[in-house]
């Protein structure tokens, strides 16, 4: 009995071995080619995982540029069959299977995504052996979920990140624009090292039918998001300033307009506005020359807003005091045979230096400024920041035009802001120095970059420059205050409860090397005058209706009033000093 059992066991064992042997031959010999081909279709597929671009935010955390998740629907054309089976739930809750053709599936995707059904079909059929085709781009989360619910076996979603600008044109000229792949301009471009994310990589296994195998994804490199770029500007104030210069520019028929607000204590730019403004969400609506910041790139002769700078040199060198007496004609013949004239004809005036500033006399400031050598004046101008771009380093920023060699007429013209070109940003820096006890700090637009790990990188700023003494700066501000208390534009510049120091400017623009009837009109100033906290400059280029600085005065007054209110600056408690304008 035991012998029979042993024999049966041997027979069974031999049978099993025979079956395995036959199977082995079948796998390794008979079906080798077929299985090898199949194994090629079950291979690792490499995919890119994108590192999200960082946000750009204002000083209060308001998002000016953001990255949103979008989805591209892709397919491998060589795995697309004529149809596939889809399980559906019937009205009574039962399950059934329906057949869905490729055309039907594409129609469903088209209805959800808005993509063209025929174009998708072409992508699937023009290269049927292709392993990759994008059928629809830029789906939002709801659209993605709707496509996923279709359970199309050959359709996959790839995550993409799209740039969006929630506040539109607010600071659009500063923020700039991200193109399809790369940053194009503005802070998006200059601060790309902060904002740009690092892409990662992962792989997944795919079966014979092209379907991704669940649980097969392996991450080889994690994606790293970009940093958050924090600006110094206040977006609410920025909006207000943009509205004000736009309104006045349209009323004046100006070609362009710019304005800047600088916090005196640290030279932070609280607002930097340009008109026409640019909306990064619809950049095509703005002509190309106005897509950047004219406040940084537009260098032109500033006119009489330069006179306080010339006065500061004179005081610092001991060549004049606010009470220095001058006999000022409306037209002066220079020893070199040239002429200097005031904006309007007048009888000979007995003016002090304070009166020269208040009356904006080109003749008066030229008579005094030329007491200093050209080289001395040039050195002061460089310390005030003229001739070189600001520390901001904005894309396309101009350093202006400051010649080291002045001809016999230019040495007079520079005193009142002609024969030298500068940007609004440079002027903002110069006035910040006058308001900051003579110390010019580097203008700052970017407060810092916070990386995903929490590290905060602050921009490397230039060293402070002691341009003039505290005493000189205070005297210049006091002379500028007489423009508001007693000048022709007093009623347009006064802000109840606050002492304001300001200077108007009307500069001729040269066309083909010859001064024309075109003007740049500006008002620059600071408040409170007894302890300046904020500098404001408003400027309009080529106005049609009013071609004097009276055109810029109302806008300056509105912006400065809003600044004082926004930042809750305490009203002045002491009266302005009395500086005689005449003798």
């Amino acid at each position: 009995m035991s012998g029979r059992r042993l024999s049966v066991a041997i027979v069974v064992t031999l049978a099993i071995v025979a079956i395995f042997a036959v199977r082995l031959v079948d796998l390794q010999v008979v079906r080798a080619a077929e299985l090898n081909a199949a194994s090629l279709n079950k291979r690792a597929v490499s995919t890119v995982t994108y590192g999200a671009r960082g946000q750009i935010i204002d000083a209060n955390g308001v998002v000016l540029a953001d990255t949103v998740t979008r989805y591209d629907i892709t397919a491998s054309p060589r795995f697309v069959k004529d149809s596939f089976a889809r399980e559906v739930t019937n009205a009574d809750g039962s399950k059934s299977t329906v057949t869905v053709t490729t055309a039907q599936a594409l129609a469903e995707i088209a209805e959800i995504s808005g993509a063209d059904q025929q174009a998708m079909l072409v992508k699937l059929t023009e290269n049927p052996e292709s392993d990759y085709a994008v059928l629809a781009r830029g789906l939002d989360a709801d659209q993605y979920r709707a496509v996923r619910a279709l359970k199309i076996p050959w359709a996959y979603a790839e995550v993409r990140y799209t740039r969006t600008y929630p506040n539109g044109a607010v600071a659009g000229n500063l923020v700039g624009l991200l193109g399809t792949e790369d940053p194009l301009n503005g802070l998006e471009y200059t601060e790309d090292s902060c904002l740009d994310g690092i892409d990662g990589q992962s792989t997944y296994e795919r079966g014979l039918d092209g379907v991704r195998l669940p649980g097969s994804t392996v991450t080889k490199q994690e994606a790293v998001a970009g940093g958050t770029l924090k600006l110094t500007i206040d977006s609410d104030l920025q909006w207000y300033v943009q509205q004000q210069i736009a309104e006045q520019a349209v009323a004046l028929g100006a070609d362009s307009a710019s304005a800047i607000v600088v916090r005196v204590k640290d030279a932070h730019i609280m607002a930097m506005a340009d008109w026409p403004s640019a909306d990064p969400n619809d950049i095509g609506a703005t002509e190309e020359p106005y897509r950047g910041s004219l406040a940084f790139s537009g260098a032109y002769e500033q006119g009489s807003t330069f006179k306080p700078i010339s006065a500061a040199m004179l005081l610092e060198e001991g060549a004049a005091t606010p009470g220095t007496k001058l006999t000022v004609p409306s037209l002066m013949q220079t020893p070199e045979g040239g002429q200097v004239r005031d904006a309007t004809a007048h009888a000979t005036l007995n003016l002090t230096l304070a009166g020269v500033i208040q009356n904006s006399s080109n003749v008066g400031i030229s008579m005094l400024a030329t007491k200093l050598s050209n080289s001395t004046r040039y050195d002061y101008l460089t310390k005030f920041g003229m001739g070189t771009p600001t520390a901001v380093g904005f894309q396309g920023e101009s350093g202006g035009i400051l010649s080291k060699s002045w001809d016999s007429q230019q040495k007079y013209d520079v005193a009142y802001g002609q024969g030298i070109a500068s940007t609004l940003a440079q002027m903002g820096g110069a006035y910040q120095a006058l308001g900051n006890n003579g110390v010019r700090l580097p203008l700052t637009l970017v407060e810092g970059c916070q990386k995903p790990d929490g590290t905060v990188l602050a921009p490397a700023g230039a060293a402070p420059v002691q341009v003039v003494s505290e005493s000189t700066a205070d005297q210049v501000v006091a002379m500028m205050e007489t423009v508001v208390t007693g000048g022709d534009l007093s009623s347009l510049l006064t802000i109840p409860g606050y002492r304001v120091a300001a200077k108007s400017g009307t500069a001729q623009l040269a066309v083909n090397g010859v001064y024309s009837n075109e003007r740049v009109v500006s008002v620059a100033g600071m408040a409170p005058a007894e302890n300046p906290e904020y500098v404001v400059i408003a400027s309009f280029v080529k106005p049609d209706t009013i071609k004097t600085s009276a055109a810029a005065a109302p806008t300056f007054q509105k912006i400065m009033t809003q600044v004082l209110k926004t930042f809750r600056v305490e009203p002045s408690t002491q009266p302005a000093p009395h500086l005689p304008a005449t003798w």
Side-chain angles (χ1 to χ4, degrees), residues 392-447:
V392 173
F394 196 80
Q395 183 190 29
E397 182 173 353
S398 171
I401 300 173
L402 174 60
S403 173
K404 202 166 188 177
S405 166
W406 302 344
D407 62 30
S408 59
Q409 184 63 39
Q410 192 176 8
K411 72 176 184 178
Y412 296 98
D413 295 344
V414 168
Y416 52 89
Q418 299 281 167
I420 177 174
S422 58
T423 66
L424 199 72
Q426 289 173 313
M427 292 299 290
Y431 271 65
Q432 181 274 334
L434 291 174
N436 192 43
N437 300 320
V439 179
R440 182 171 63 85
L441 301 174
L443 280 185
T444 303
L445 177 61
V446 173
E447 189 170 325

Side-chain angles (χ1 to χ4, degrees), residues 150-370:
L150 298 175
K151 298 180 181 179
I152 302 172
W154 41 262
Y156 298 96
E158 283 188 353
V159 176
R160 297 284 183 183
Y161 293 111
T162 300
R163 204 64 165 162
T164 184
Y165 302 90
N167 282 277
V170 176
N173 299 70
L174 299 174
V175 169
L177 177 69
L178 185 71
T180 304
E181 297 292 339
D182 300 311
L184 299 181
N185 64 347
L187 294 169
E188 290 275 29
Y189 180 84
T190 58
E191 305 299 323
D192 186 54
S193 60
C194 168
L195 297 166
D196 195 26
I198 300 174
D199 294 341
Q201 189 177 44
S202 62
T203 60
Y204 66 87
E205 295 292 327
R206 184 171 59 189
L208 179 61
D209 57 0
V211 176
R212 181 184 299 208
L213 299 180
S216 66
T217 301
V218 176
T219 300
K220 292 187 175 181
Q221 180 178 339
E222 293 284 355
V224 179
T228 297
L229 188 72
K230 186 176 182 180
L231 308 185
T232 59
I233 67 167
D234 180 294
S235 59
D236 288 340
L237 179 63
Q238 178 78 22
W239 176 86
Y240 182 85
V241 174
Q242 287 183 214
Q243 294 298 309
Q244 291 305 315
I245 65 170
E247 179 181 312
Q248 185 71 342
V250 171
L252 296 172
D255 282 10
S256 63
S258 298
I260 185 173
V261 178
V262 180
R263 190 165 62 195
V264 170
K265 68 178 182 180
D266 54 13
H268 280 196
I269 298 173
M270 311 308 293
M272 176 78 91
D274 291 290
W275 182 86
S277 58
D279 183 350
N281 295 307
D282 184 20
I283 198 65
T286 303
E287 294 181 17
E288 189 171 351
Y290 303 111
R291 293 176 185 176
S293 176
L294 295 175
F296 282 112
S297 63
Y300 46 82
E301 294 171 304
Q302 296 286 338
S304 293
T305 52
F306 237 79
K307 286 172 183 169
I309 296 174
S310 296
M313 305 176 194
L314 290 164
L315 297 178
E316 189 71 9
E317 290 295 314
T321 69
T324 294
K325 298 177 180 180
L326 298 167
T327 301
V328 183
S330 64
L331 173 65
M332 179 180 71
Q333 300 288 343
T334 70
E336 297 84 0
Q339 291 183 342
V340 176
R341 67 176 67 241
D342 283 343
T344 58
H346 58 77
T348 300
L349 301 174
N350 293 327
L351 299 177
T352 63
L353 176 55
V356 167
I357 297 298
Q358 183 185 101
N359 289 272
S360 199
S361 172
N362 297 338
V363 174
I365 199 68
S366 297
M367 293 169 65
L368 289 174
T370 49

